[in-house]
Amino acid sequence: MANVIESIWAIIKGMWTVLKLGLSPNVTTQYPEEKRPVHRRFKGRHFLQRYDNGLERCIGCSLCAAACPADAIFVEASENTDDKRFSPGERYASTYEINMLRCIFCGYCEDACPTQAIVLGDNYELSFTDRSQAIYTREMLLNPVPLAGQPTPQKVAPGSFDRSIPDMKDPN
């Protein structure tokens, strides 16, 4: 008799759950037109940041590639010159690639970056029709030049440096 009562009680609880959820209003988002807000700590598409004057923050140190557990990041550094200056440091990332098929969106690259150049944004619309489209290059990752800035490479007078960049040291 106890098993029959327990079974009936389990059926009543299950039917109550179905009835409760069936009468609740539906929450539907019309996706392409409306986008759900993401949480504050959401990790989405990667971006490479710039300084206000247009120089790139990435100095080609490859710490992000070393911190990546999925080996999704490839960085190749080149030397800055006075005629062609991409970043405030001695080097810049001439090649910066992220394989988005390998990326696990852990954020270790963002934590490892000493200049806060790589940032995981809130864009979650990532789709590819070909494997080659999943490799994001430096040009695809760079944020646009700010209104007050100049595009890279910039020409810098020999012996001068930009004091508006806090990380830049006087070479003399």
Side-chain angles (χ1 to χ4, degrees):
M1 185 68 174
N3 286 340
V4 172
I5 294 174
E6 287 177 14
S7 299
I8 293 173
W9 180 246
I11 291 172
I12 292 172
K13 281 178 28 179
M15 293 304 291
W16 172 251
T17 303
V18 169
L19 184 65
K20 182 174 65 173
L21 291 176
L23 296 176
S24 64
N26 292 336
V27 178
T28 304
T29 304
Q30 302 297 324
Y31 169 63
E33 294 82 27
E34 299 175 22
K35 294 182 182 169
R36 290 182 64 188
V38 295
H39 293 285
R40 183 178 57 86
R41 294 181 58 183
F42 178 80
K43 293 174 176 30
R45 184 185 182 278
H46 300 73
F47 293 100
L48 283 174
Q49 301 291 328
R50 292 180 180 265
Y51 287 106
D52 291 335
N53 65 357
L55 287 176
E56 302 166 14
R57 284 184 179 263
C58 184
I59 56 174
C61 65
S62 299
L63 287 174
C64 54
C68 182
D71 197 26
I73 301 174
F74 173 72
V75 180
E76 187 175 60
S78 295
E79 298 291 325
N80 273 320
T81 62
D82 289 336
D83 293 333
K84 290 177 112 181
R85 180 152 301 272
F86 291 88
S87 70
E90 295 175 5
R91 300 182 309 163
Y92 71 98
S94 58
T95 305
Y96 196 103
E97 294 178 350
I98 298 179
N99 187 342
M100 298 305 278
L101 294 176
R102 287 185 181 176
C103 181
I104 58 174
F105 299 94
C106 61
Y108 289 168
C109 57
E110 188 177 25
D111 295 338
C113 185
T115 60
Q116 287 126 13
I118 187 80
V119 174
L120 277 74
D122 61 353
N123 188 354
Y124 52 83
E125 298 174 318
L126 302 171
S127 63
F128 316 109
T129 57
D130 187 14
R131 293 178 72 86
S132 63
Q133 292 177 348
I135 298 175
Y136 282 24
T137 61
R138 177 176 158 262
E139 290 75 24
M140 296 167 69
L141 293 168
L142 267 173
N143 278 343
V145 179
L147 293 176
Q150 300 172 4
T152 52
Q154 295 179 4
K155 186 171 177 144
V156 178
S160 69
F161 64 99
D162 191 354
R163 294 187 190 276
S164 67
I165 301 172
D167 296 340
M168 198 164 204
K169 305 285 189 267
D170 188 356
N172 297 331

